């Protein structure tokens, strides 16, 4: 039995390695850092996060979801500061895990998460479309979108053909079930692109290879001092929160794919924090748990964490033994890989389902995505969270006014529900419509909540009528 499990984990590790290899390289290139740093993060994801408890089957490494934020950070602070940013994010994650705050990430609105992924996907697509044709992308989400108008004249037709063919393979290869089980679509697509451009000697941009030791940069004391800068601290917190959210949402999705042990969210957060701390020391990309690799791991038959640890071993062996292979990969092929990944981040089907019954959630999703495209990832998520909280407050703030003619005792008015400032106009409209020539008894015992704004408004309404107001309930008014 043990032998069977070992064989299953060994096979799964090879499958995950083949899926992770082109993605690690592609995410690094899109993030504006050497390709080797993406592989370093994948190795750490296997050898460090992989051995720690938390989620037994999900796989960690560089993720497309952080590409936009990493690219912005590299442009602002330089590649040399990346290690400090990632190291700081890892420490924040470790702290969150130790304080047992991992479970609270499940309280984040799904619409905000989907909007975040959609915004990332749109910016990723807009940026990588340029790389499909070996053209340089402008900085900023809006600039990338605006530049699409003049893009056709900038694209190299040969590179564009390579990128287009790569996307076609990514779409068609999974339809051959048997072939897709043996060789993952990302590897076959990038491998064919490298082979064709090499055999025919096509003049396209290729991945620049520096060597693992040359790419790794250990943070210096001066770099650590930058953690006192407000902008750097903001980026660190953004790295930590978004990487944590993506990892824990991935864990929830992976748990639905298998019947084995469930994820311990706090321990998984500690594992992710430890991995990012190591990535920071090595100056590599931040890591998260990645659903694409994790799903491939489960579907390949993995039974224990051995599969994800071994996938890190294979990445290390590849990087040390045959690093020169990276130099034959066309950049257009990797751009096609990320365009394909970006399209998957846009939740088109989920939007259709939400629109039928929860249109307010669609508004939160769209606004979050638009804010990320217009501004940046951190600001977009904050806007989405604020809108989600406001929507929840509006939905929860239901107030109902009932009136009853009490004869000589006057009119009895009962206010039910949650009276907050959000529903104050509705409450005042109902009260001001009452006859002014009769006494009113206001019953507030049916209120579950009465905020200060409503209490003050009720007192002002009573004073304006010039009569004694009898009230009971939580406000004491």
């Amino acid at each position: 039995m043990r032998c069977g499990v070992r064989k299953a984990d060994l096979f799964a590790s090879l499958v995950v390695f083949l899926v992770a290899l082109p993605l690690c390289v592609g995410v690094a290139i899109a993030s504006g850092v050497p390709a080797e740093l993406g592989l370093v993060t994948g190795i750490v994801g296997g050898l460090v996060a992989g051995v720690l408890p938390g989620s037994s089957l999900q796989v960690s490494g560089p993720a497309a979801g952080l590409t936009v934020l990493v690219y912005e950070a590299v442009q602002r602070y330089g590649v040399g500061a990346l290690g400090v940013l990632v190291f700081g994010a890892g420490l924040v994650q470790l702290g969150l895990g130790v304080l047992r705050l991992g479970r609270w990430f499940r309280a984040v609105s799904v619409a905000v998460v989907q909007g975040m992924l959609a915004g990332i996907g749109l910016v990723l697509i807009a940026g990588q479309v340029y790389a499909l044709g070996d053209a340089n992308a402008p900085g900023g989400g809006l600039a990338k979108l605006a530049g699409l108008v003049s893009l056709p004249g900038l694209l190299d037709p040969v590179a564009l053909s390579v990128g287009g063919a790569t996307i076609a393979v990514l779409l068609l290869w999974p339809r051959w079930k048997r072939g897709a089980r043996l060789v993952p679509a990302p590897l076959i697509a990038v491998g064919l692109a490298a082979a064709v451009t090499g055999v025919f000697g096509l003049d396209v941009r290729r991945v620049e290879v520096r060597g693992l030791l040359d790419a790794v940069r250990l943070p210096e004391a001066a770099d650590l001092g930058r953690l006192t800068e407000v902008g750097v601290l903001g980026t660190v917190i953004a790295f930590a929160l978004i990487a944590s959210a993506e990892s824990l949402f991935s864990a929830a999705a992976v748990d639905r794919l298998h019947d084995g042990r469930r994820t311990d969210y706090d321990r998984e957060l500690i594992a992710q924090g430890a991995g990012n701390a190591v990535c920071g020391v090595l100056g590599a990309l931040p890591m998260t748990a990645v659903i694409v690799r994790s799903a491939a791991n489960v579907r390949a038959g993995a039974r224990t964490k051995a599969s994800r640890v071994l996938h890190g071993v294979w990445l290390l062996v590849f990087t040390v033994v045959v690093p020169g292979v990276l130099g034959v990969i066309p950049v257009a092929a990797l751009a096609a890989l990320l365009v394909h990944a970006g399209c998957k981040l846009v939740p088109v089907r989920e939007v259709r389902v939400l629109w039928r019954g929860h249109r307010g959630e669609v508004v939160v999703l769209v606004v979050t995505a638009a804010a990320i495209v217009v501004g940046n990832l951190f600001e977009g998520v904050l806007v989405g969270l604020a809108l989600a909280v406001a929507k929840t407050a509006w939905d929860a703030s239901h107030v109902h006014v009932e009136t009853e003619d009490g004869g000589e005792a006057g009119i009895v008015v009962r206010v039910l529900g949650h009276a907050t400032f959000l529903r104050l106009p509705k409450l005042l409209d109902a009260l001001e419509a009452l006859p002014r020539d009769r006494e009113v008894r206001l019953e507030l015992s049916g209120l579950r909540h009465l905020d200060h704004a409503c209490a003050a408004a009720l007192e002002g309404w009573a004073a304006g009528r010039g009569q004694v107001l009898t009230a009971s309930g939580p406000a004491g008014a």
Side-chain angles (χ1 to χ4, degrees), residues 17 42-43 46-47 308-319:
F17 160 69
I43 293 168
L47 301 184
R308 62 184 191 177
V309 176
L310 284 174
H311 118 275
V313 173
W314 307 141
L315 286 173
L316 177 60
V317 171
F318 173 86
T319 306

Side-chain angles (χ1 to χ4, degrees), residues 10-37:
L10 177 61
F11 175 75
S13 72
L14 291 171
V15 171
V16 177
F17 160 69
L18 296 176
V19 172
L21 178 60
L23 287 173
C24 287
V25 177
V27 170
I29 298 299
S31 301
V33 303
E36 290 85 353
L37 293 184

Side-chain angles (χ1 to χ4, degrees), residues 64-204:
L66 281 174
T67 300
V68 175
L69 188 58
V70 173
Y71 180 82
E72 292 174 351
V74 169
Q75 295 302 308
R76 182 179 301 177
Y77 304 112
V79 178
L82 181 60
V84 171
L85 296 173
V86 178
F87 178 73
L91 294 182
V92 172
Q93 287 181 300
L94 284 170
L96 294 175
V98 170
L99 294 173
R100 301 185 64 81
L101 298 178
R103 68 194 67 181
W104 287 100
F105 280 88
R106 290 181 288 178
V108 178
S109 167
V110 175
V112 174
V113 176
Q114 291 177 333
M116 178 188 76
L117 295 176
I120 292 169
L122 292 172
V123 175
L124 190 59
I125 293 168
Q128 294 305 305
V129 164
Y130 291 85
L132 276 177
D134 283 353
N136 294 322
L142 280 179
K144 289 183 177 69
L145 293 175
L148 295 177
V149 177
S150 58
L151 181 60
L154 303 176
L155 298 178
D156 177 71
V158 177
L160 185 60
S161 300
V162 172
T166 303
I167 292 177
V169 174
L170 289 170
L171 295 174
L172 297 176
W173 184 258
R175 297 189 178 184
W176 183 27
K177 302 296 183 182
R178 184 177 180 182
R181 283 196 298 268
L182 294 174
V183 184
L187 184 69
I188 195 68
V190 174
L192 284 174
V196 170
T197 55
V199 169
F200 292 96
L202 300 181
D203 185 18
V204 294

Side-chain angles (χ1 to χ4, degrees), residues 81 93 142 148 184 200 211 221 226 269 280 285 287 351 361 370 401 423 435 442 472:
Q93 287 181 300
L142 280 179
L148 295 177
F200 292 96
R226 302 199 65 179
L269 200 52
L285 291 172
M287 57 170 267
V351 169
E361 295 293 304
V401 180
R423 300 292 182 173
L442 188 61
S472 61

